[in-house]
């Protein structure tokens, strides 16, 4: 049973349709919305601001704190219990590590930048959508950062390399490798690399290269969205 | 080969390549990576001779020595007040710098500035750990009585003030309001309620259109038509 055609008719290296917006949450210092296929993420950034409890403070530079969560109705039908879980705690941590390398908080000792990510709909790839939204929201908040971060899942179903898996593909009966990655486009560094399933070394390298290419498309959309947001207000 | 990749006054996003080659110099909001000058903040690109810089469009206020800001008293200690500065850090106003009159030891400091009072004050020192010291000694530094407080994006304060204060002076005279703009993005407005509302509207308009050229004339027209 070889995987010859994708369930939604996409090409193997084609992303799902992307929609992005900036400044969706008025009260936040920066915010963004990022939708890829049926996965829909909101990110809000607050800060730099006071950090309490005090033992979390770092006197050398500011701290980035991320929180990932799915809304109660976001899954595939079962109610998602809100609040921290093993899964959301892990994703919060990897999101924080994916974003930290680009942001510069040296000017803000003892302070914190809070990033809140919530998903109102999920169809696989939610941590990647969350990272994409968060990086746009951080730029919107005026945080000093050396580049944007783009994230996508790559993988292998049977013998076929594919990008941006949806839930149906992730749950494919057979051999599946699902590899979410995040990339700093200007340097090509990977800031997130996780995997579900198994894959050969050569194929993994191929998958990463493929991911790098499609991340360029994502980061282009991120940049254009931010630019458009200000061109509109110029009129 | 040296060339600019982005036109002046255009919006840049972190990671954008602004210029190639060594003929340009990176300044605020930019950094050099190999042969490129890249943006490290979202903002408007500006070129001053060979110096490339970014005027940020968003961002929190960062306390700087010499800035005149509007703060709110949030706590009173034995010999000092703690002041909220609309940034990540609160500031300290000691009795020595807080008032020129003699204060006896153990006196009730809330008689001078109580919790919740707004003051216009000046930053005299900021340490590397962002401990901020304030003073009330200086022209125009005082407690603010009455009026209303609004918050604006701190990066847009220079536009609200205008060149040598031209914008704020114009708004003051056309709305008959007393207006103080703190570098930290807090604005105090006092006048007739109707005038205050007009002043708030005007400031919001400047904030929205801060990156448009010819703003002073536009705002003047807006105010004159609003008064009619």
């Amino acid at each position: 049973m070889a995987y010859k055609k994708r369930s939604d008719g996409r090409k193997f290296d084609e992303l799902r349709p992307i929609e992005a917006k900036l400044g969706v949450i008025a009260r936040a210092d920066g915010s963004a919305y990022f939708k890829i296929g049926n996965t829909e993420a909101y990110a809000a950034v607050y800060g730099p601001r006071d950090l309490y409890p005090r033992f979390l403070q770092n006197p050398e530079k500011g701290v980035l704190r991320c929180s990932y969560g799915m809304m109660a109705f976001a899954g595939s039908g079962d109610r998602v219990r809100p609040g921290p879980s093993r899964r959301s705690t892990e994703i919060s941590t990897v999101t924080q590590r994916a974003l930290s390398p680009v942001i510069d908080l040296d000017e803000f000792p003892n302070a914190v930048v809070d990033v809140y990510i919530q998903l109102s709909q999920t169809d696989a790839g939610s941590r990647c959508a969350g990272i994409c939204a968060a990086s746009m929201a951080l730029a919107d908040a005026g945080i000093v950062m050396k580049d944007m971060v783009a994230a996508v899942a790559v993988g292998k179903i049977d013998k076929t390399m594919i990008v941006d898996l949806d839930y149906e593909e992730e749950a494919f009966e057979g051999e599946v490798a699902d590899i979410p990655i995040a990339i700093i486009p200007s340097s090509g560094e990977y800031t997130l690399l996780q995997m579900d399933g198994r894959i050969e070394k050569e194929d993994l390298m191929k998958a990463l290269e493929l991911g790098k290419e499609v991340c360029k498309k994502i980061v282009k959309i991120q940049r254009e969205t931010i630019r458009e947001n200000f061109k509109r207000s110029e009129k | 080969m040296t060339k600019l990749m982005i036109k002046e006054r255009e919006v840049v996003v972190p990671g954008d390549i602004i210029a190639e080659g060594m003929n340009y110099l990176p300044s605020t909001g930019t950094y050099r990576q190999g042969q490129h000058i890249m943006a490290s903040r979202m903002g408007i690109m500006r070129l001053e001779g060979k110096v490339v810089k970014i005027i940020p469009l968003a961002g929190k206020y960062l306390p700087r020595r010499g800035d005149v800001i509007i703060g709110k008293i949030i706590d009173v200690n034995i010999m000092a007040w703690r002041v909220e500065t609309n940034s990540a850090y609160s500031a300290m106003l000691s009795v020595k710098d807080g008032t020129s009159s003699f204060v006896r030891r153990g006196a009730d400091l809330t008689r001078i500035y109580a919790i919740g009072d707004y003051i216009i004050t000046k930053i005299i020192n900021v340490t590397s750990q962002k401990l901020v010291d304030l003073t009330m000694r200086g022209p125009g530094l005082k407690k603010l009585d009455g009026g209303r407080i609004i918050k604006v994006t701190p990066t847009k304060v220079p536009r609200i003030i205008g060149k040598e204060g031209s914008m704020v002076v114009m708004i003051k005279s056309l709305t008959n309001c007393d207006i103080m703009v703190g570098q930290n993005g807090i604005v105090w407005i006092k006048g007739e309620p109707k005038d205050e509302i007009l002043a708030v509207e005007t400031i919001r308009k400047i904030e929205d259109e801060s990156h448009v050229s010819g703003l002073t004339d536009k705002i003047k027209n807006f105010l004159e038509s609003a008064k009619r």
Side-chain angles (χ1 to χ4, degrees):
Chain A
M1 191 171 61
Y3 198 68
K4 291 224 177 69
K5 197 162 185 289
R6 295 182 82 164
S7 48
D8 54 2
R10 274 185 288 155
K11 281 183 237 146
F12 291 121
D13 63 347
E14 192 180 337
L15 293 162
R16 289 174 284 178
I18 295 175
E19 206 187 310
K21 273 183 238 162
L22 206 66
V24 288
I25 296 154
R27 286 271 296 159
D29 292 316
S31 61
Y33 163 88
F34 189 88
K35 182 179 181 187
I36 180 159
N38 288 326
T39 301
E40 201 173 37
Y42 290 87
V45 171
Y46 291 86
R49 62 179 180 184
D50 269 354
L51 175 54
Y52 290 104
R54 220 174 149 156
F55 69 83
L56 294 174
Q57 293 181 354
N58 179 354
E60 284 182 341
K61 61 176 190 169
V63 175
L64 178 70
R65 197 160 53 168
C66 296
S67 148
Y68 163 102
M70 269 159 72
M71 292 185 196
F73 49 79
S76 48
D78 291 331
R79 177 172 180 271
V80 181
R81 268 175 64 130
S85 63
R86 188 206 56 79
R87 181 173 177 275
S88 66
T89 310
E90 172 205 319
I91 298 179
S92 302
T93 309
V94 297
T95 303
Q96 188 262 330
R97 289 188 190 167
L99 296 169
S100 298
V102 292
I103 72 163
D104 173 11
L105 294 176
D106 288 354
E107 282 282 354
F108 295 97
N110 295 328
V112 66
V113 173
D114 275 314
V115 179
Y116 299 109
I117 299 163
Q118 283 288 323
L119 291 113
S120 53
Q121 265 192 70
T122 55
D123 185 14
S126 66
R127 70 194 69 191
C128 298
I131 290 170
C132 290
S135 113
M136 289 169 67
L138 283 165
D140 185 37
I143 306 289
V144 176
M145 50 203 282
K146 66 175 184 185
D147 205 346
M148 304 293 288
V149 178
V152 76
V154 290
K156 188 182 159 193
I157 297 189
D158 266 354
K159 303 218 155 34
T160 319
M161 310 296 283
I162 53 170
V163 298
D164 192 19
L165 293 80
D166 61 23
Y167 185 73
E168 219 174 298
E169 291 173 318
E170 218 178 76
F172 183 79
E173 276 183 49
E175 208 161 289
V176 179
D178 170 24
I179 311 167
I181 59 170
I183 283 179
I184 305 173
S186 63
S187 62
E189 286 168 287
Y190 297 92
T191 61
L192 168 75
L193 179 60
Q194 292 186 294
M195 178 163 79
D196 248 351
R198 53 166 70 188
I199 195 167
E200 293 76 36
K201 189 182 168 193
E202 296 77 51
D203 284 344
L204 174 64
M205 298 321 277
K206 257 188 250 167
L208 293 183
E209 279 310 309
L210 194 60
K212 206 180 256 184
E213 284 309 306
V214 290
C215 275
K216 282 184 190 155
K217 289 180 196 156
I218 296 176
V219 85
K220 205 173 158 204
I221 294 170
Q222 291 177 317
R223 289 181 192 292
E224 284 315 307
T225 307
I226 296 173
R227 256 189 273 274
E228 282 305 312
N229 189 53
F230 288 98
K231 277 193 189 134
R232 231 181 308 123
S233 60
E234 233 164 90
K235 277 160 205 161
Chain B
M1 246 253 321
T2 297
K3 62 176 177 182
L4 277 179
M5 311 297 282
I6 284 173
K7 271 187 247 128
E8 212 198 337
R9 299 195 63 87
E10 243 176 60
V11 176
V12 294
V13 180
D16 275 346
I17 298 170
I18 300 175
E20 247 176 34
M22 306 300 280
N23 273 9
Y24 290 97
L25 295 169
S27 176
T28 49
T30 65
Y31 67 101
R32 183 179 284 291
Q33 191 172 61
Q35 290 287 309
H36 302 308
I37 293 177
M38 322 262 284
S40 63
R41 272 187 100 160
M42 179 184 74
I44 307 273
M45 201 275 274
R46 276 298 188 84
L47 201 59
E48 280 170 12
K50 290 201 172 305
V51 178
V52 178
K53 69 174 184 181
I54 288 173
I55 315 287
L57 281 166
K60 277 247 161 150
Y61 173 68
L62 189 65
R64 229 187 297 268
R65 180 196 285 207
D67 278 0
V68 174
I69 63 169
I70 294 176
K72 184 186 180 187
I73 309 287
I74 50 168
D75 198 3
V76 183
N77 296 341
I78 292 176
M79 287 305 267
W81 294 269
R82 186 141 286 277
V83 181
E84 205 268 322
T85 59
N86 194 31
S87 73
Y89 307 97
S90 60
M92 192 74 104
L93 174 64
S94 70
V95 167
K96 177 171 74 72
D97 295 311
T99 173
S100 49
S101 57
F102 176 71
V103 180
R104 214 158 3 110
R105 218 163 151 204
D108 183 11
L109 293 187
T110 56
R111 279 165 190 261
I112 306 170
Y113 308 119
I115 291 174
D117 282 351
Y118 280 91
I119 53 171
I120 182 152
T121 178
K122 190 174 171 182
I123 298 176
I124 39 171
N125 198 23
V126 182
T127 69
S128 68
Q129 295 308 303
K130 309 290 172 188
L131 299 173
V132 183
D133 288 325
L134 301 173
T135 182
M136 296 298 283
R137 291 168 194 232
L141 306 182
K142 59 175 189 199
K143 182 172 138 185
L144 297 170
D145 283 316
R148 65 174 77 195
I149 294 281
I150 61 166
K151 280 186 182 176
V152 299
T153 314
T155 53
K156 291 175 180 172
V157 164
R159 292 297 268 173
I160 293 165
I161 294 173
K163 237 177 224 157
E164 283 156 17
S166 58
M167 185 76 89
V168 74
V169 166
M170 185 186 78
I171 304 171
K172 270 186 191 171
S173 67
L174 288 176
T175 62
N176 297 317
C177 283
D178 204 357
I179 301 175
M180 295 279 196
V181 186
Q183 287 292 328
N184 57 342
I186 295 183
V187 182
W188 173 80
I189 301 161
K190 188 179 183 181
E192 290 296 313
K194 195 166 80 358
D195 296 332
E196 281 182 7
I197 290 166
L198 180 61
V200 172
E201 249 174 67
T202 314
I203 288 167
R204 292 279 172 241
K205 198 173 163 65
I206 298 171
E207 217 187 341
D208 286 342
E209 301 179 14
S210 63
H211 51 300
V212 178
S213 48
L215 190 61
T216 313
D217 293 336
K218 210 171 166 181
I219 295 300
K220 197 171 180 186
N221 290 338
F222 168 77
L223 277 172
E224 275 164 358
S225 63
K227 288 190 88 176
R228 248 176 257 133

